[in-house]
Amino acid sequence: MINKMGAVSAPLILWLIIIIALPGIGQTTSSGLIEGSVVDIETGHALSNVKIILKGTYLKGVTDSQGRYFISNVPAGKFEIVATMAGYKKETKVIKVSSNRKVTVDFKLSASEVLLDKILVTATKTERSLDGTPIPADLVNREQIKKYNALNAGEAIEQLAGLHFYKSYGPMENEKLRVQGLPAGYTLTLLDGERIEGRFPLTQIPAELIERVEVVKGPSSVLYGSDAIGGVVNVITRSFPLKPTVSAGVSMGSHEAKIITLSHSASVSDFGYLFSFDRNRTEGEERERNWYKSENLFAKLGYQRDSRNNFILRGGYYHEDLSARDEEKFDFGLKGKVGVGNTSDIVVKGYGVQSRDKTHVGGSEDATISDADKYRGEVQWLRKFTDRHTFTLGTEILYEKLQQKLEEESPDIDKDQHLESIYIQDESSVGPFSLLGAARLDYHSIWGSHFSPKSALLYKATNWLDIRAGI
């Protein structure tokens, strides 16, 4: 009887011990929770994609579209918690986490112009710090443009080593930008990441419109195509301000040069707009041969819910009149970015330009008229595996049409061409090393297929020495 009772009571006693011990076990393994929100200190708008880091641990979080974050399984103790995001000043707070307790930590971040100035988007088509990209690049920010007293984008980059910018308003002249000694035709010029056309693409962009100019030196054909063998110059226009702004300027120079600029920009909730007008009159050294007149109108409208969900629509009209040439151009572009989950973004771009050039070749009374249309579309997928590893996959379509004729005659030239491309890029960082591997496959309707690989390496040997290599 006793044996039977012992056999039955043993498991009961074991269960009683487990039940009694459970509260103690829960207490020894319990942890805390950190939650909170992050907003812009000026606007009060929620900030998404802000990194929240618990120093001294591997724990971290990222804010969602509402600016909220959560960090669970935090051990009890005292910690430093950091909120950091590109374009904003880093903020650090000291907190104490208790077992089975929730701690609320909110942040209000203020914009940092210095940090924004160090961010590049041209070198890899992704945001990278200036000193963290394996591809050689330079940047001219707004303060430097004012210091140089530059009137346009061309003058803004004249001071950079390895660049030579030249312009002439002669009858058959245009501006030329040479990077590292290569002919001007090997350098690609962009405005907000889109190609700009014309004989004076950099001269036509007034300094008042510019936020910064990014210059990539060396081959960039893997991301931008064969017209970027020498390098890329990307002019980034001003972002929408927190408060309405109005500016006007008048400049005068030699040869009776007069330049008038007007601009206005503002933001309303998540929407913003920017308008700019520029008028240039120059008599030239020989009034009958090299006078120059131009008008340039630019507009940009945008919506930004957060850094991963935004949309921008822009357009412009440009007209220039020289002694033997008259050119008129209208262009438009759009760019949209949508966040997918916590780690992927889809970027869609579109661009179109229609232009007419009337040139009196050799002083002929009848002008040669060239009508050119160009349209481009691009879709890009970015996948961020970690803070130090990003993968990019993109496809691009380009269509061009050209008609050329003498005045009042049928077209002598009527041609078109198209280009389809696909490219991939992988960026990663390990310790002091930053690695980039990329490849692009182009199919041209006339020249056929072409494959372009690229690899680059950055080694940060010391705080003052960076070593870059690429093939």
Side-chain angles (χ1 to χ4, degrees):
M1 186 72 178
I2 296 174
N3 290 337
K4 292 182 179 179
M5 289 291 293
V8 174
S9 60
L12 289 176
I13 294 171
L14 180 61
W15 278 110
L16 286 172
I17 293 173
I18 293 174
I19 292 171
I20 294 171
L22 277 176
I25 295 172
Q27 289 176 2
T28 57
T29 60
S30 62
S31 57
L33 170 71
I34 303 174
E35 67 174 16
S37 62
V38 185
V39 299
D40 186 298
I41 194 171
E42 293 287 340
T43 65
H45 292 172
L47 296 176
S48 69
N49 207 33
V50 179
K51 297 175 185 175
I52 311 297
I53 302 170
L54 207 61
K55 295 185 69 174
T57 75
Y58 293 101
L59 300 174
K60 59 184 177 179
V62 179
T63 57
D64 58 20
S65 60
Q66 303 300 317
R68 297 171 301 192
Y69 73 92
F70 301 89
I71 303 177
S72 58
N73 299 320
V74 182
K78 195 174 182 180
F79 301 95
E80 285 188 4
I81 186 169
V82 182
T84 178
M85 179 182 182
Y88 286 85
K89 294 179 181 178
K90 180 172 64 176
E91 186 175 350
T92 303
K93 294 185 177 183
V94 178
I95 62 170
K96 184 178 181 180
V97 179
S98 301
S99 299
N100 298 320
R101 295 293 180 88
K102 178 175 67 176
V103 181
T104 301
V105 186
D106 297 327
F107 293 92
K108 295 181 179 180
L109 303 186
S110 57
S112 170
E113 293 183 2
V114 175
L115 185 57
L116 276 172
D117 288 341
K118 295 181 180 180
I119 300 298
L120 291 174
V121 295
T122 309
T124 62
K125 285 195 177 183
T126 58
E127 287 189 355
R128 294 292 296 263
S129 63
L130 179 59
D131 60 355
T133 173
I135 299 174
D138 276 316
L139 184 147
V140 180
N141 60 31
R142 192 166 177 78
E143 293 302 318
Q144 291 171 307
I145 293 173
K146 292 179 180 178
K147 180 181 177 180
Y148 299 154
N149 199 27
L151 298 178
N152 53 59
E155 294 182 7
I157 60 175
E158 283 182 325
Q159 310 297 326
L160 294 178
L163 270 68
H164 177 69
F165 177 72
Y166 166 82
K167 69 175 182 291
S168 172
Y169 296 136
M172 300 301 294
E173 294 291 332
N174 56 10
E175 69 179 33
K176 296 179 176 66
L177 175 63
R178 303 180 66 181
V179 178
Q180 297 181 334
L182 289 175
Y186 291 104
T187 301
L188 178 63
T189 304
L190 306 175
L191 177 64
D192 288 331
E194 289 294 348
R195 290 164 171 79
I196 50 176
E197 311 296 328
R199 298 180 184 268
F200 299 94
L202 292 172
T203 305
Q204 74 186 45
I205 305 173
E208 184 61 31
L209 192 64
I210 303 171
E211 182 73 36
R212 66 186 188 273
V213 184
E214 301 178 4
V215 180
V216 180
K217 300 176 180 178
S220 298
S221 57
V222 171
L223 291 180
Y224 294 99
S226 59
D227 45 358
I229 293 176
V232 181
V233 175
N234 188 10
V235 182
I236 309 296
T237 57
R238 285 163 36 202
S239 56
F240 304 123
L242 299 176
K243 300 178 181 179
T245 63
V246 178
S247 65
V250 178
S251 303
M252 297 184 181
S254 57
H255 308 306
E256 300 185 34
K258 301 180 186 67
I259 301 174
I260 299 174
T261 59
L262 299 170
S263 68
H264 169 57
S265 56
S267 295
V268 181
S269 184
D270 295 333
F271 297 87
Y273 63 87
L274 168 65
F275 296 101
S276 173
F277 174 75
D278 175 76
R279 181 178 182 270
N280 190 331
R281 295 290 185 271
T282 302
E283 294 296 338
E285 192 171 344
E286 301 178 45
R287 296 194 178 192
E288 298 299 323
R289 289 178 51 81
N290 53 8
W291 48 268
Y292 175 78
K293 301 177 182 178
S294 71
E295 297 85 30
N296 185 17
L297 179 64
F298 177 87
K300 181 169 72 170
L301 307 173
Y303 166 79
Q304 180 164 342
R305 193 182 74 182
D306 51 57
S307 62
R308 297 183 61 211
N309 296 272
N310 48 69
F311 180 83
I312 290 179
L313 176 66
R314 70 173 180 87
Y317 171 79
Y318 178 72
H319 173 252
E320 65 181 19
D321 187 11
L322 290 85
S323 58
R325 188 175 71 244
D326 184 278
E327 183 179 6
E328 194 172 29
K329 180 184 68 175
F330 171 76
D331 65 355
F332 58 91
L334 61 87
K335 178 182 178 181
K337 184 178 182 181
V338 178
V340 181
N342 294 324
T343 58
S344 295
D345 293 328
I346 301 293
V347 180
V348 179
K349 299 179 182 179
Y351 172 75
V353 59
Q354 298 176 334
S355 64
R356 165 165 283 203
D357 184 288
K358 297 174 65 175
T359 303
H360 295 270
V361 181
S364 171
E365 292 185 4
D366 293 328
T368 299
I369 300 176
S370 300
D371 291 318
D373 297 336
K374 179 179 289 189
Y375 304 97
R376 193 184 78 89
E378 182 179 4
V379 179
Q380 195 177 45
W381 174 60
L382 296 91
R383 174 72 160 84
K384 199 165 189 176
F385 293 100
T386 68
D387 293 339
R388 299 168 67 86
H389 186 194
T390 303
F391 178 80
T392 305
L393 173 66
T395 183
E396 180 181 354
I397 299 175
L398 178 66
Y399 174 79
E400 295 179 295
K401 182 177 178 63
L402 173 66
Q403 287 186 334
Q404 196 172 75
K405 64 178 182 179
L406 286 175
E407 229 167 353
E408 307 301 333
E409 293 186 10
S410 299
D412 294 325
I413 297 176
D414 189 352
K415 295 184 177 181
D416 62 1
Q417 59 183 4
H418 56 86
L419 174 73
E420 293 83 32
S421 309
I422 185 171
Y423 60 85
I424 58 173
Q425 177 179 265
D426 189 81
E427 308 166 70
S428 60
S429 299
V430 180
F433 294 94
S434 293
L435 310 170
L436 181 144
R440 180 185 180 101
L441 178 63
D442 293 323
Y443 174 77
H444 194 278
S445 58
I446 299 175
W447 308 112
S449 300
H450 180 72
F451 178 73
S452 304
K454 183 178 180 66
S455 62
L457 168 69
L458 167 65
Y459 172 54
K460 300 186 74 65
T462 67
N463 291 334
W464 52 270
L465 178 61
D466 293 342
I467 300 174
R468 289 181 171 88
I471 55 174

